[in-house]
Amino acid sequence: MKSLFLFLIVPFLTFGQFEKSIKLKVSVIQNFIQKGEEGETLFWQTKGKITFGIVNYTEEQNPVFRDLFISQYKEIVPIFNKMNQTEDERDTNLFIKTLIRQEQDYRKLLTEEQLKRYLNQLAEFEKSNPTANDSYSSLFFSDKLLREYIARF
């Protein structure tokens, strides 16, 4: 099914980081879903762990971000499943737009200093560390990538 989804979305894309990031985002969501009930826990723990080293959440922030990541998972799973069932462009657009909004929601909860560290680190990965960039862009957006998604969707 993932292949069919990607086949439907490819005409709208150019090759490069944008297309690769969509494939990564679809794959990672699909992998969490395949874990069943454990997928939700793995999702929020993964998002929290890979960003903690960059932004250093405070004790007060830890439950806030945990709750955000859990709600993001609960929101994206039915959208993802419907997109795969219907193969409708509107459902694909909703999936992408939801990912964009979720990234924006995440950024709004960071302090100014945390946001700066986050954006700088993702930009550095984009520039000089393709492996780390792939890992982060499967769940998050660099500023450059977010602008590109917003422009296309």
PDB file of all heavy atoms in Angstrom, residues 91-119:
ATOM      1  N   ASP A  91      -7.093  13.026   1.008  1.00  0.00           N
ATOM      2  CA  ASP A  91      -6.614  12.390   2.230  1.00  0.00           C
ATOM      3  C   ASP A  91      -5.094  12.493   2.352  1.00  0.00           C
ATOM      4  O   ASP A  91      -4.565  12.676   3.440  1.00  0.00           O
ATOM      5  CB  ASP A  91      -7.063  10.928   2.293  1.00  0.00           C
ATOM      6  CG  ASP A  91      -8.572  10.808   2.429  1.00  0.00           C
ATOM      7  OD1 ASP A  91      -9.197  11.674   3.079  1.00  0.00           O
ATOM      8  OD2 ASP A  91      -9.138   9.857   1.860  1.00  0.00           O
ATOM      9  N   THR A  92      -4.415  12.397   1.234  1.00  0.00           N
ATOM     10  CA  THR A  92      -2.959  12.585   1.220  1.00  0.00           C
ATOM     11  C   THR A  92      -2.617  14.009   1.629  1.00  0.00           C
ATOM     12  O   THR A  92      -1.721  14.239   2.442  1.00  0.00           O
ATOM     13  CB  THR A  92      -2.380  12.272  -0.174  1.00  0.00           C
ATOM     14  OG1 THR A  92      -2.692  10.920  -0.507  1.00  0.00           O
ATOM     15  CG2 THR A  92      -0.891  12.495  -0.222  1.00  0.00           C
ATOM     16  N   ASN A  93      -3.330  14.973   1.088  1.00  0.00           N
ATOM     17  CA  ASN A  93      -3.109  16.373   1.451  1.00  0.00           C
ATOM     18  C   ASN A  93      -3.367  16.609   2.934  1.00  0.00           C
ATOM     19  O   ASN A  93      -2.627  17.341   3.587  1.00  0.00           O
ATOM     20  CB  ASN A  93      -3.972  17.300   0.600  1.00  0.00           C
ATOM     21  CG  ASN A  93      -3.485  17.399  -0.824  1.00  0.00           C
ATOM     22  OD1 ASN A  93      -2.348  17.079  -1.142  1.00  0.00           O
ATOM     23  ND2 ASN A  93      -4.368  17.828  -1.711  1.00  0.00           N
ATOM     24  N   LEU A  94      -4.414  15.988   3.461  1.00  0.00           N
ATOM     25  CA  LEU A  94      -4.716  16.123   4.887  1.00  0.00           C
ATOM     26  C   LEU A  94      -3.576  15.540   5.726  1.00  0.00           C
ATOM     27  O   LEU A  94      -3.177  16.132   6.732  1.00  0.00           O
ATOM     28  CB  LEU A  94      -6.035  15.436   5.237  1.00  0.00           C
ATOM     29  CG  LEU A  94      -6.415  15.458   6.726  1.00  0.00           C
ATOM     30  CD1 LEU A  94      -6.571  16.891   7.243  1.00  0.00           C
ATOM     31  CD2 LEU A  94      -7.684  14.650   6.958  1.00  0.00           C
ATOM     32  N   PHE A  95      -3.044  14.418   5.312  1.00  0.00           N
ATOM     33  CA  PHE A  95      -1.922  13.800   6.016  1.00  0.00           C
ATOM     34  C   PHE A  95      -0.738  14.767   6.069  1.00  0.00           C
ATOM     35  O   PHE A  95      -0.176  15.030   7.139  1.00  0.00           O
ATOM     36  CB  PHE A  95      -1.529  12.488   5.328  1.00  0.00           C
ATOM     37  CG  PHE A  95      -0.304  11.834   5.894  1.00  0.00           C
ATOM     38  CD1 PHE A  95      -0.360  11.165   7.109  1.00  0.00           C
ATOM     39  CD2 PHE A  95       0.898  11.866   5.213  1.00  0.00           C
ATOM     40  CE1 PHE A  95       0.779  10.543   7.637  1.00  0.00           C
ATOM     41  CE2 PHE A  95       2.036  11.261   5.727  1.00  0.00           C
ATOM     42  CZ  PHE A  95       1.973  10.597   6.938  1.00  0.00           C
ATOM     43  N   ILE A  96      -0.376  15.310   4.921  1.00  0.00           N
ATOM     44  CA  ILE A  96       0.772  16.222   4.844  1.00  0.00           C
ATOM     45  C   ILE A  96       0.496  17.501   5.649  1.00  0.00           C
ATOM     46  O   ILE A  96       1.347  17.961   6.416  1.00  0.00           O
ATOM     47  CB  ILE A  96       1.106  16.580   3.379  1.00  0.00           C
ATOM     48  CG1 ILE A  96       1.485  15.327   2.580  1.00  0.00           C
ATOM     49  CG2 ILE A  96       2.201  17.642   3.317  1.00  0.00           C
ATOM     50  CD1 ILE A  96       2.734  14.626   3.001  1.00  0.00           C
ATOM     51  N   LYS A  97      -0.681  18.066   5.496  1.00  0.00           N
ATOM     52  CA  LYS A  97      -1.012  19.296   6.225  1.00  0.00           C
ATOM     53  C   LYS A  97      -1.035  19.067   7.737  1.00  0.00           C
ATOM     54  O   LYS A  97      -0.668  19.956   8.511  1.00  0.00           O
ATOM     55  CB  LYS A  97      -2.346  19.855   5.737  1.00  0.00           C
ATOM     56  CG  LYS A  97      -2.229  20.468   4.354  1.00  0.00           C
ATOM     57  CD  LYS A  97      -3.563  20.981   3.844  1.00  0.00           C
ATOM     58  CE  LYS A  97      -3.371  21.573   2.464  1.00  0.00           C
ATOM     59  NZ  LYS A  97      -4.594  22.118   1.903  1.00  0.00           N
ATOM     60  N   THR A  98      -1.438  17.877   8.145  1.00  0.00           N
ATOM     61  CA  THR A  98      -1.430  17.551   9.577  1.00  0.00           C
ATOM     62  C   THR A  98      -0.001  17.470  10.094  1.00  0.00           C
ATOM     63  O   THR A  98       0.305  17.980  11.174  1.00  0.00           O
ATOM     64  CB  THR A  98      -2.188  16.232   9.833  1.00  0.00           C
ATOM     65  OG1 THR A  98      -3.534  16.378   9.364  1.00  0.00           O
ATOM     66  CG2 THR A  98      -2.200  15.874  11.311  1.00  0.00           C
ATOM     67  N   LEU A  99       0.890  16.862   9.320  1.00  0.00           N
ATOM     68  CA  LEU A  99       2.299  16.812   9.715  1.00  0.00           C
ATOM     69  C   LEU A  99       2.887  18.216   9.841  1.00  0.00           C
ATOM     70  O   LEU A  99       3.637  18.502  10.780  1.00  0.00           O
ATOM     71  CB  LEU A  99       3.119  15.995   8.716  1.00  0.00           C
ATOM     72  CG  LEU A  99       2.842  14.495   8.658  1.00  0.00           C
ATOM     73  CD1 LEU A  99       3.641  13.856   7.533  1.00  0.00           C
ATOM     74  CD2 LEU A  99       3.142  13.827   9.995  1.00  0.00           C
ATOM     75  N   ILE A 100       2.541  19.078   8.905  1.00  0.00           N
ATOM     76  CA  ILE A 100       3.014  20.465   8.951  1.00  0.00           C
ATOM     77  C   ILE A 100       2.521  21.148  10.225  1.00  0.00           C
ATOM     78  O   ILE A 100       3.295  21.770  10.962  1.00  0.00           O
ATOM     79  CB  ILE A 100       2.544  21.248   7.707  1.00  0.00           C
ATOM     80  CG1 ILE A 100       3.258  20.736   6.450  1.00  0.00           C
ATOM     81  CG2 ILE A 100       2.750  22.755   7.885  1.00  0.00           C
ATOM     82  CD1 ILE A 100       2.645  21.229   5.149  1.00  0.00           C
ATOM     83  N   ARG A 101       1.235  21.039  10.505  1.00  0.00           N
ATOM     84  CA  ARG A 101       0.673  21.683  11.701  1.00  0.00           C
ATOM     85  C   ARG A 101       1.267  21.104  12.971  1.00  0.00           C
ATOM     86  O   ARG A 101       1.560  21.830  13.930  1.00  0.00           O
ATOM     87  CB  ARG A 101      -0.847  21.566  11.738  1.00  0.00           C
ATOM     88  CG  ARG A 101      -1.430  22.371  12.907  1.00  0.00           C
ATOM     89  CD  ARG A 101      -2.877  22.099  13.188  1.00  0.00           C
ATOM     90  NE  ARG A 101      -3.290  20.730  13.024  1.00  0.00           N
ATOM     91  CZ  ARG A 101      -3.044  19.745  13.906  1.00  0.00           C
ATOM     92  NH1 ARG A 101      -2.364  19.967  15.006  1.00  0.00           N
ATOM     93  NH2 ARG A 101      -3.498  18.525  13.677  1.00  0.00           N
ATOM     94  N   GLN A 102       1.487  19.797  12.992  1.00  0.00           N
ATOM     95  CA  GLN A 102       2.073  19.183  14.179  1.00  0.00           C
ATOM     96  C   GLN A 102       3.485  19.719  14.439  1.00  0.00           C
ATOM     97  O   GLN A 102       3.864  19.945  15.584  1.00  0.00           O
ATOM     98  CB  GLN A 102       2.082  17.658  14.057  1.00  0.00           C
ATOM     99  CG  GLN A 102       0.699  17.055  14.193  1.00  0.00           C
ATOM    100  CD  GLN A 102       0.701  15.541  14.102  1.00  0.00           C
ATOM    101  OE1 GLN A 102       1.671  14.916  13.692  1.00  0.00           O
ATOM    102  NE2 GLN A 102      -0.418  14.938  14.476  1.00  0.00           N
ATOM    103  N   GLU A 103       4.236  19.932  13.379  1.00  0.00           N
ATOM    104  CA  GLU A 103       5.572  20.527  13.538  1.00  0.00           C
ATOM    105  C   GLU A 103       5.445  21.944  14.095  1.00  0.00           C
ATOM    106  O   GLU A 103       6.193  22.340  14.995  1.00  0.00           O
ATOM    107  CB  GLU A 103       6.307  20.556  12.199  1.00  0.00           C
ATOM    108  CG  GLU A 103       7.629  21.278  12.236  1.00  0.00           C
ATOM    109  CD  GLU A 103       8.743  20.580  12.989  1.00  0.00           C
ATOM    110  OE1 GLU A 103       8.613  19.380  13.295  1.00  0.00           O
ATOM    111  OE2 GLU A 103       9.763  21.238  13.282  1.00  0.00           O
ATOM    112  N   GLN A 104       4.504  22.699  13.578  1.00  0.00           N
ATOM    113  CA  GLN A 104       4.296  24.062  14.060  1.00  0.00           C
ATOM    114  C   GLN A 104       3.863  24.066  15.528  1.00  0.00           C
ATOM    115  O   GLN A 104       4.313  24.901  16.311  1.00  0.00           O
ATOM    116  CB  GLN A 104       3.288  24.783  13.176  1.00  0.00           C
ATOM    117  CG  GLN A 104       3.816  25.026  11.767  1.00  0.00           C
ATOM    118  CD  GLN A 104       2.741  25.453  10.779  1.00  0.00           C
ATOM    119  OE1 GLN A 104       1.581  25.073  10.889  1.00  0.00           O
ATOM    120  NE2 GLN A 104       3.156  26.237   9.788  1.00  0.00           N
ATOM    121  N   ASP A 105       3.004  23.128  15.898  1.00  0.00           N
ATOM    122  CA  ASP A 105       2.571  23.009  17.293  1.00  0.00           C
ATOM    123  C   ASP A 105       3.758  22.713  18.204  1.00  0.00           C
ATOM    124  O   ASP A 105       3.869  23.277  19.302  1.00  0.00           O
ATOM    125  CB  ASP A 105       1.524  21.904  17.454  1.00  0.00           C
ATOM    126  CG  ASP A 105       0.199  22.214  16.790  1.00  0.00           C
ATOM    127  OD1 ASP A 105      -0.049  23.385  16.417  1.00  0.00           O
ATOM    128  OD2 ASP A 105      -0.595  21.264  16.618  1.00  0.00           O
ATOM    129  N   TYR A 106       4.636  21.824  17.755  1.00  0.00           N
ATOM    130  CA  TYR A 106       5.827  21.483  18.522  1.00  0.00           C
ATOM    131  C   TYR A 106       6.700  22.713  18.742  1.00  0.00           C
ATOM    132  O   TYR A 106       7.119  23.012  19.862  1.00  0.00           O
ATOM    133  CB  TYR A 106       6.618  20.377  17.801  1.00  0.00           C
ATOM    134  CG  TYR A 106       7.969  20.113  18.395  1.00  0.00           C
ATOM    135  CD1 TYR A 106       8.090  19.460  19.623  1.00  0.00           C
ATOM    136  CD2 TYR A 106       9.134  20.523  17.756  1.00  0.00           C
ATOM    137  CE1 TYR A 106       9.340  19.222  20.185  1.00  0.00           C
ATOM    138  CE2 TYR A 106      10.384  20.283  18.310  1.00  0.00           C
ATOM    139  CZ  TYR A 106      10.481  19.635  19.524  1.00  0.00           C
ATOM    140  OH  TYR A 106      11.715  19.408  20.078  1.00  0.00           O
ATOM    141  N   ARG A 107       6.943  23.432  17.674  1.00  0.00           N
ATOM    142  CA  ARG A 107       7.813  24.617  17.761  1.00  0.00           C
ATOM    143  C   ARG A 107       7.252  25.682  18.698  1.00  0.00           C
ATOM    144  O   ARG A 107       8.008  26.363  19.389  1.00  0.00           O
ATOM    145  CB  ARG A 107       8.032  25.218  16.374  1.00  0.00           C
ATOM    146  CG  ARG A 107       8.877  24.340  15.477  1.00  0.00           C
ATOM    147  CD  ARG A 107       9.039  24.949  14.123  1.00  0.00           C
ATOM    148  NE  ARG A 107       9.828  24.099  13.254  1.00  0.00           N
ATOM    149  CZ  ARG A 107      10.435  24.517  12.155  1.00  0.00           C
ATOM    150  NH1 ARG A 107      10.340  25.792  11.781  1.00  0.00           N
ATOM    151  NH2 ARG A 107      11.130  23.684  11.424  1.00  0.00           N
ATOM    152  N   LYS A 108       5.941  25.821  18.727  1.00  0.00           N
ATOM    153  CA  LYS A 108       5.321  26.832  19.591  1.00  0.00           C
ATOM    154  C   LYS A 108       5.558  26.562  21.072  1.00  0.00           C
ATOM    155  O   LYS A 108       5.520  27.487  21.878  1.00  0.00           O
ATOM    156  CB  LYS A 108       3.813  26.894  19.326  1.00  0.00           C
ATOM    157  CG  LYS A 108       3.449  27.537  18.019  1.00  0.00           C
ATOM    158  CD  LYS A 108       1.952  27.475  17.778  1.00  0.00           C
ATOM    159  CE  LYS A 108       1.615  27.926  16.370  1.00  0.00           C
ATOM    160  NZ  LYS A 108       0.197  27.677  16.043  1.00  0.00           N
ATOM    161  N   LEU A 109       5.800  25.306  21.425  1.00  0.00           N
ATOM    162  CA  LEU A 109       6.003  24.956  22.827  1.00  0.00           C
ATOM    163  C   LEU A 109       7.455  25.095  23.282  1.00  0.00           C
ATOM    164  O   LEU A 109       7.737  25.042  24.478  1.00  0.00           O
ATOM    165  CB  LEU A 109       5.516  23.520  23.085  1.00  0.00           C
ATOM    166  CG  LEU A 109       4.007  23.315  22.975  1.00  0.00           C
ATOM    167  CD1 LEU A 109       3.659  21.841  23.126  1.00  0.00           C
ATOM    168  CD2 LEU A 109       3.267  24.154  24.011  1.00  0.00           C
ATOM    169  N   LEU A 110       8.359  25.244  22.336  1.00  0.00           N
ATOM    170  CA  LEU A 110       9.764  25.427  22.683  1.00  0.00           C
ATOM    171  C   LEU A 110      10.015  26.867  23.128  1.00  0.00           C
ATOM    172  O   LEU A 110       9.364  27.790  22.644  1.00  0.00           O
ATOM    173  CB  LEU A 110      10.654  25.111  21.477  1.00  0.00           C
ATOM    174  CG  LEU A 110      10.644  23.673  20.966  1.00  0.00           C
ATOM    175  CD1 LEU A 110      11.401  23.574  19.642  1.00  0.00           C
ATOM    176  CD2 LEU A 110      11.228  22.721  21.995  1.00  0.00           C
ATOM    177  N   THR A 111      10.978  27.034  24.017  1.00  0.00           N
ATOM    178  CA  THR A 111      11.396  28.391  24.358  1.00  0.00           C
ATOM    179  C   THR A 111      12.147  28.966  23.159  1.00  0.00           C
ATOM    180  O   THR A 111      12.543  28.232  22.242  1.00  0.00           O
ATOM    181  CB  THR A 111      12.328  28.404  25.588  1.00  0.00           C
ATOM    182  OG1 THR A 111      13.555  27.758  25.240  1.00  0.00           O
ATOM    183  CG2 THR A 111      11.687  27.741  26.794  1.00  0.00           C
ATOM    184  N   GLU A 112      12.373  30.241  23.184  1.00  0.00           N
ATOM    185  CA  GLU A 112      13.107  30.885  22.090  1.00  0.00           C
ATOM    186  C   GLU A 112      14.500  30.266  21.910  1.00  0.00           C
ATOM    187  O   GLU A 112      14.940  29.996  20.795  1.00  0.00           O
ATOM    188  CB  GLU A 112      13.223  32.387  22.373  1.00  0.00           C
ATOM    189  CG  GLU A 112      13.763  33.182  21.218  1.00  0.00           C
ATOM    190  CD  GLU A 112      13.749  34.677  21.511  1.00  0.00           C
ATOM    191  OE1 GLU A 112      12.734  35.186  22.002  1.00  0.00           O
ATOM    192  OE2 GLU A 112      14.782  35.312  21.228  1.00  0.00           O
ATOM    193  N   GLU A 113      15.176  30.028  23.019  1.00  0.00           N
ATOM    194  CA  GLU A 113      16.521  29.426  22.965  1.00  0.00           C
ATOM    195  C   GLU A 113      16.464  27.982  22.465  1.00  0.00           C
ATOM    196  O   GLU A 113      17.305  27.559  21.670  1.00  0.00           O
ATOM    197  CB  GLU A 113      17.185  29.492  24.345  1.00  0.00           C
ATOM    198  CG  GLU A 113      18.584  28.908  24.382  1.00  0.00           C
ATOM    199  CD  GLU A 113      19.567  29.592  23.445  1.00  0.00           C
ATOM    200  OE1 GLU A 113      19.455  30.813  23.231  1.00  0.00           O
ATOM    201  OE2 GLU A 113      20.461  28.895  22.921  1.00  0.00           O
ATOM    202  N   GLN A 114      15.479  27.218  22.922  1.00  0.00           N
ATOM    203  CA  GLN A 114      15.341  25.839  22.463  1.00  0.00           C
ATOM    204  C   GLN A 114      15.050  25.788  20.963  1.00  0.00           C
ATOM    205  O   GLN A 114      15.614  24.958  20.250  1.00  0.00           O
ATOM    206  CB  GLN A 114      14.216  25.126  23.218  1.00  0.00           C
ATOM    207  CG  GLN A 114      14.562  24.795  24.641  1.00  0.00           C
ATOM    208  CD  GLN A 114      13.361  24.286  25.409  1.00  0.00           C
ATOM    209  OE1 GLN A 114      12.223  24.742  25.221  1.00  0.00           O
ATOM    210  NE2 GLN A 114      13.601  23.334  26.299  1.00  0.00           N
ATOM    211  N   LEU A 115      14.184  26.664  20.512  1.00  0.00           N
ATOM    212  CA  LEU A 115      13.844  26.702  19.095  1.00  0.00           C
ATOM    213  C   LEU A 115      15.084  27.037  18.263  1.00  0.00           C
ATOM    214  O   LEU A 115      15.326  26.413  17.222  1.00  0.00           O
ATOM    215  CB  LEU A 115      12.730  27.712  18.829  1.00  0.00           C
ATOM    216  CG  LEU A 115      12.282  27.855  17.374  1.00  0.00           C
ATOM    217  CD1 LEU A 115      11.770  26.523  16.808  1.00  0.00           C
ATOM    218  CD2 LEU A 115      11.212  28.931  17.252  1.00  0.00           C
ATOM    219  N   LYS A 116      15.862  27.972  18.720  1.00  0.00           N
ATOM    220  CA  LYS A 116      17.082  28.345  18.013  1.00  0.00           C
ATOM    221  C   LYS A 116      18.031  27.153  17.909  1.00  0.00           C
ATOM    222  O   LYS A 116      18.561  26.863  16.838  1.00  0.00           O
ATOM    223  CB  LYS A 116      17.756  29.514  18.735  1.00  0.00           C
ATOM    224  CG  LYS A 116      19.006  30.013  18.068  1.00  0.00           C
ATOM    225  CD  LYS A 116      19.609  31.179  18.842  1.00  0.00           C
ATOM    226  CE  LYS A 116      20.919  31.606  18.217  1.00  0.00           C
ATOM    227  NZ  LYS A 116      21.554  32.677  18.987  1.00  0.00           N
ATOM    228  N   ARG A 117      18.249  26.447  19.033  1.00  0.00           N
ATOM    229  CA  ARG A 117      19.127  25.262  19.015  1.00  0.00           C
ATOM    230  C   ARG A 117      18.573  24.187  18.084  1.00  0.00           C
ATOM    231  O   ARG A 117      19.325  23.564  17.326  1.00  0.00           O
ATOM    232  CB  ARG A 117      19.289  24.692  20.427  1.00  0.00           C
ATOM    233  CG  ARG A 117      20.200  25.511  21.310  1.00  0.00           C
ATOM    234  CD  ARG A 117      20.614  24.766  22.569  1.00  0.00           C
ATOM    235  NE  ARG A 117      19.512  24.185  23.318  1.00  0.00           N
ATOM    236  CZ  ARG A 117      18.981  24.700  24.410  1.00  0.00           C
ATOM    237  NH1 ARG A 117      19.448  25.826  24.907  1.00  0.00           N
ATOM    238  NH2 ARG A 117      17.999  24.094  25.034  1.00  0.00           N
ATOM    239  N   TYR A 118      17.282  23.979  18.157  1.00  0.00           N
ATOM    240  CA  TYR A 118      16.617  22.970  17.327  1.00  0.00           C
ATOM    241  C   TYR A 118      16.800  23.281  15.835  1.00  0.00           C
ATOM    242  O   TYR A 118      17.245  22.431  15.063  1.00  0.00           O
ATOM    243  CB  TYR A 118      15.132  22.932  17.713  1.00  0.00           C
ATOM    244  CG  TYR A 118      14.232  22.090  16.838  1.00  0.00           C
ATOM    245  CD1 TYR A 118      14.251  20.708  16.911  1.00  0.00           C
ATOM    246  CD2 TYR A 118      13.326  22.693  15.968  1.00  0.00           C
ATOM    247  CE1 TYR A 118      13.397  19.941  16.124  1.00  0.00           C
ATOM    248  CE2 TYR A 118      12.479  21.937  15.188  1.00  0.00           C
ATOM    249  CZ  TYR A 118      12.512  20.559  15.273  1.00  0.00           C
ATOM    250  OH  TYR A 118      11.665  19.808  14.500  1.00  0.00           O
ATOM    251  N   LEU A 119      16.481  24.492  15.446  1.00  0.00           N
ATOM    252  CA  LEU A 119      16.587  24.871  14.032  1.00  0.00           C
ATOM    253  C   LEU A 119      18.029  24.852  13.546  1.00  0.00           C
ATOM    254  O   LEU A 119      18.304  24.393  12.421  1.00  0.00           O
ATOM    255  CB  LEU A 119      15.958  26.248  13.811  1.00  0.00           C
ATOM    256  CG  LEU A 119      14.455  26.335  14.055  1.00  0.00           C
ATOM    257  CD1 LEU A 119      13.970  27.767  13.880  1.00  0.00           C
ATOM    258  CD2 LEU A 119      13.683  25.378  13.165  1.00  0.00           C
TER     259      LEU A 119
END
